[in-house]
Each structure stands twice: as C-alpha cells, then as structure tokens.
Amino acid sequence: MQQMNERAVTVIGGGVSGCAAALAAAARGVDVTLIEQRPQRQTPLHETQVPAELVGTADLGGEQPDRAIGLLKAELGHLCPIPLECAHQARTGEQSLIVDRRRFAELLAGRIEADGHVAISREEARALPDGPVVVATGPATWSPLARALHQAAGMSFRFAFMGRPPLVSADGIDLSAAIREPLYPGAEPALFLPISDAAVEELARRIADGTRDEPPELSKDVALANEMEPIERVAHAPGELADGVLRGPLGPETQVSSPALCLVADDAEESAFHVEGFVTALTRDAQREALQAVGAMAQVEIVRPAMVHRLPWLPGAVLATMQLRRTRRVLLAGTLTGAAGYIEALATGAIAGLNAARLARGDAPALPPLECLTGALCHALAAAPAEDARMLQANFGMLPLRQEDEGKPKSERRERQVAEAMRAVESFAAW
C-alpha cells in the first residue's frame, strides 16, 4: 500500500461510483485508498472479486446528447473520462452502449491499479476513517459501516428495491429456432425464443408455485426503482404474462410471433444471456425450474440468478457537492445519494471524488453548475425531501429553462440546453 500523507482521500466501495470517485480524486493529484470488501466479504450480488463489476444488466444506455443519458455521458468525458473509455473498449452494442460486463470491469480495474495515486485495500470498512472519505457502498452498505454512516448523517436510511434478470449459460439453450431482431425499431438486436401457449401456461404455474427469497419489506404494492416488475406479480394470469413480459419484439416487420423470451448477450462471444424481463425473487433453483418449462431451455443453467435486492439510501442527506450536510468531510456517491442508474452512479462518483480531492488539498468544495445535467442531478438529490422521496434518474426537466425558450420546439430547446451544459461542465471541470 502507498505511503499516506495529509492530502489523502479514502473511497469505500469498489463499484462503478466508487471507482469514478477514486479516479476523479486521483486525477487531481490526491493519493487515494480505495477500500473494496471482496473477497473478505462476498456479496450475493457479485460473481467476481473484480472492482467495477456491473451487478445488473450490461446496458449503459444511448449516447445521443439530446437524450438525458447521452448528455450525462458527454459531461463525464470532462469530469471523469476513464470509465467511459473502458466502456467503449468493452463495447458490444451498436445502437446502445452495451458492454461485455467482465471485460469492462477488468479494463476499469486495470486502469485503477495502474494509477500511481490509487491503492486498493481489500478489507471490510467497519468505520469512517479520518479525513475526506467517499462512501459508495450501495446495496452492500451493511453494519457496522451503516451505523457509522447513520450517525454521521443524523438520519435514518430509506429503502428502495431494484430488480435484475437472470444470466444463463448459452450452452444450455437450444438456439436453433431463435430469431435475431431489435426489441423495438432502432434498438439493439436481441435473440428471441418463440414460446407455445402451453409452455406459457406451464411457465406461469412454475413461477406461481416456486419458492421465493425476497426482501421482507417488499410487498405487492412496492414498485421497483428501475421500473421493472417482479414476474410473479403477473404469473397468475398467463395471458398477462404473454402480453407483457413475453410480448416479443415491437414493430410492423417483426418475424417473431408472440409470446417469446428475449435474450440479450452478456459478452461479445454470446457465452451467456440475460433473460430480459424475467425479474423475480424466486430462488436460484426455482428460476431454473421455471425457465425449463420452455422447451428450448430444458437444459438451462443459471450463471447468475435474478434478484430483487434492497437499496439503502439517505434522501436529502447530501448537499449538491455530495457532502453530508451534517458531517461535511464525508461524501456519498451512487445509490446512497438516491441516484438510480449506472451513469448517474458514475456522475455522482465523479463529483464526490472531485470535491474530496478539494477538501484534501485544503480548498472549498466546488458546487456543480445547474446548467449542466450532472450539476442539475446533484442539486435535485440535495433538494429531495426526507418524506415521500423517490430515487432519481437524470432528465432534461432538471435543467433550467430560459424565457427565450418559450414557444420554441423541443429540439431547439434541447440544442440550446446541450450547448450550455457542455460549456458549463467544461469550465467546472477545469479548476
């Protein structure tokens, strides 16, 4: 481990937000210790011990700057470009920034390990260390660190729920009848496995009868933060299951007759697939048994099970600088702030890392400008009410509107907002 000095920053959590924080601080000449608890304490969300492992799907979204996720990526090019550089190196999608998950993690971990300002410490953080510290532990925020964070924030955690589909091995799937088509016009091509009505009935029965392992707070009235629905909520009605989760691709020229399972490749070699829409709290064995109701998946093997997991977060606990209001040497990043989404995690991580570096250098934290989407997101997270709060994703509605925008077409408004956002973030990042 490197020799620490008075200009040191600690980052707790080696997910994408923690990696962005570490890289953003290191890029500004500050020594960083990145604490990652794996393998000392493994989590049910991860397959590997590599930092920056994506625990959900491999889709990082579109790149058009007139879309919120695309603008956020363009701004990251100024704030913390390395994660996006790694994403493009690991890219498998053409229409969207879909990546080979394992390659992306290995590339980003390699860049961190090669950075002379960053040292990775494989241990479980049980307290908040002295000095500027970024906490980016996401769903793996467990006691006693959770208790220390609760005391530092002076408020209780809220909980949201996130779902992900299963990852299955290609070796156990008969792809002879699969059809490659985009899910909707302009989307990335995926593989579709047509399913008979009898198979839908059997699939619904197995889902309904299967053993579950879901968070105790998750009731049928609780919506998931990433707008997915557990498949068991519709399994009692095979028709609804077929028309919703198994509806097949959309568009007038589709060759797929519904219902169908949608498979999205996890890597360039298509050695494993995400079963899109199959979000469930069924146990691993129950998931396999349910999927085996589909003839082409009779030999299916689960590489990584679907899961509905709990996300702790602290609504309104941070300032727009990502500092805790109550303990300002502590900064948050990722889902702990109430931000949902991979790119939002990178954006909040970049701001937290940048400001942790400023604190370590004895400078005042920098307030990200409202005119850029990263700044607007940070301000929205800071303004989140403690009561009736919800997790946020970046959107153009967060950006300020000008009086001269009134009556203009959306395309013209967006063009002005994008240009202004890029000027603002470039100036902000150049301190």
Side-chain angles (χ1 to χ4, degrees):
M1 183 180 297
Q2 68 193 39
Q3 184 68 35
M4 289 289 100
N5 57 47
E6 68 276 7
R7 288 172 51 188
V9 166
T10 303
V11 177
I12 304 175
V16 290
S17 58
C19 289
L23 289 166
R28 287 153 179 88
V30 174
D31 290 338
V32 180
T33 298
L34 175 61
I35 298 177
E36 168 53 54
Q37 68 179 351
R38 292 173 292 150
Q40 186 179 87
R41 182 168 183 176
Q42 197 69 13
T43 83
L45 292 166
H46 296 87
E47 292 175 81
T48 74
Q49 299 170 11
V50 182
E53 179 184 339
L54 301 178
V55 298
T57 66
D59 191 348
L60 303 185
E63 296 182 285
Q64 300 88 345
D66 62 345
R67 299 291 186 269
I69 202 70
L71 178 55
L72 211 57
K73 287 191 184 77
E75 294 175 4
L76 274 169
H78 292 283
L79 294 168
C80 188
I82 290 176
L84 289 182
E85 291 171 7
C86 294
H88 281 281
Q89 285 181 266
R91 183 172 192 155
T92 61
E94 296 181 4
Q95 307 298 327
S96 183
L97 188 55
I98 298 174
V99 300
D100 180 318
R101 283 187 319 112
R102 189 175 292 269
R103 178 161 167 74
F104 169 74
E106 290 172 349
L107 287 167
L108 187 48
R111 295 290 292 270
I112 289 171
E113 290 166 358
D115 193 307
H117 283 291
V118 182
I120 300 177
S121 178
R122 297 284 188 168
E123 60 182 297
E124 182 185 358
R126 302 178 66 83
L128 296 172
D130 294 335
V133 55
V134 178
V135 184
T137 44
T141 308
W142 299 323
S143 295
L145 180 63
R147 287 196 297 271
L149 194 54
H150 162 72
Q151 292 172 353
M155 64 185 301
S156 298
F157 286 98
R158 293 282 296 276
F159 297 98
F161 299 90
M162 198 78 77
R164 73 177 188 198
L167 184 65
V168 299
S169 173
D171 291 340
I173 310 173
D174 178 2
L175 297 174
S176 60
I179 299 173
R180 192 179 299 271
E181 282 194 15
L183 182 59
Y184 53 87
E188 200 69 36
L191 288 179
F192 287 88
L193 288 175
I195 308 176
S196 68
D197 291 342
V200 172
E201 294 267 359
E202 181 60 19
L203 177 62
R205 186 191 67 77
R206 294 188 187 189
I207 293 170
D209 293 345
T211 305
R212 290 169 180 71
D213 182 18
E214 60 189 14
E217 303 92 340
L218 183 65
S219 70
K220 64 180 181 180
D221 300 321
V222 174
L224 303 190
N226 55 349
E227 299 181 354
M228 294 183 174
E229 278 292 302
I231 198 169
E232 46 264 43
R233 293 184 180 178
V234 297
H236 64 279
E240 190 174 342
L241 181 64
D243 293 340
V245 178
L246 307 174
R247 69 177 182 272
L250 304 176
E253 299 180 1
T254 178
Q255 303 176 57
V256 181
S257 57
S258 292
L261 272 181
C262 177
L263 305 177
V264 175
D266 186 56
D267 53 26
E269 292 76 26
E270 296 190 343
S271 66
F273 293 93
H274 302 271
V275 185
E276 287 299 291
F278 201 90
V279 174
T280 179
L282 291 171
T283 63
R284 186 189 195 109
D285 287 345
Q287 290 175 40
R288 185 181 65 253
E289 290 171 9
L291 288 170
Q292 287 174 340
V294 178
M297 304 189 84
Q299 304 300 318
V300 72
E301 289 297 331
I302 305 286
V303 174
R304 188 189 69 177
M307 183 180 292
V308 177
H309 60 274
R310 190 175 73 165
L311 291 174
W313 60 294
L314 293 162
V318 292
L319 303 169
T321 56
M322 296 295 98
Q323 296 170 277
L324 282 180
R325 296 180 187 275
R326 179 168 169 172
T327 310
R328 300 197 178 183
R329 70 176 183 85
V330 179
L331 304 94
L332 303 186
T335 54
L336 282 174
T337 68
Y342 288 138
I343 307 304
E344 285 83 353
L346 289 169
T348 55
I351 297 301
L354 182 153
N355 278 323
R358 291 186 68 94
L359 289 172
R361 295 168 65 106
D363 298 326
L367 194 67
L370 268 169
E371 291 76 16
C372 69
L373 191 53
T374 301
L377 172 65
C378 290
H379 283 272
L381 293 168
E387 301 296 328
D388 195 31
R390 59 185 179 85
M391 300 193 81
L392 298 178
Q393 290 187 292
N395 63 79
F396 267 86
M398 294 175 174
L399 290 171
L401 285 174
R402 304 291 183 228
Q403 187 172 2
E404 60 266 29
D405 288 332
E406 292 185 11
K408 287 186 177 179
K410 183 171 74 171
S411 60
E412 290 186 27
R413 295 199 309 270
R414 291 272 173 100
E415 184 177 2
R416 194 273 306 162
Q417 288 175 311
V418 168
E420 190 171 84
M422 295 310 298
R423 287 194 297 269
V425 78
E426 186 173 2
S427 176
F428 173 75
W431 63 273

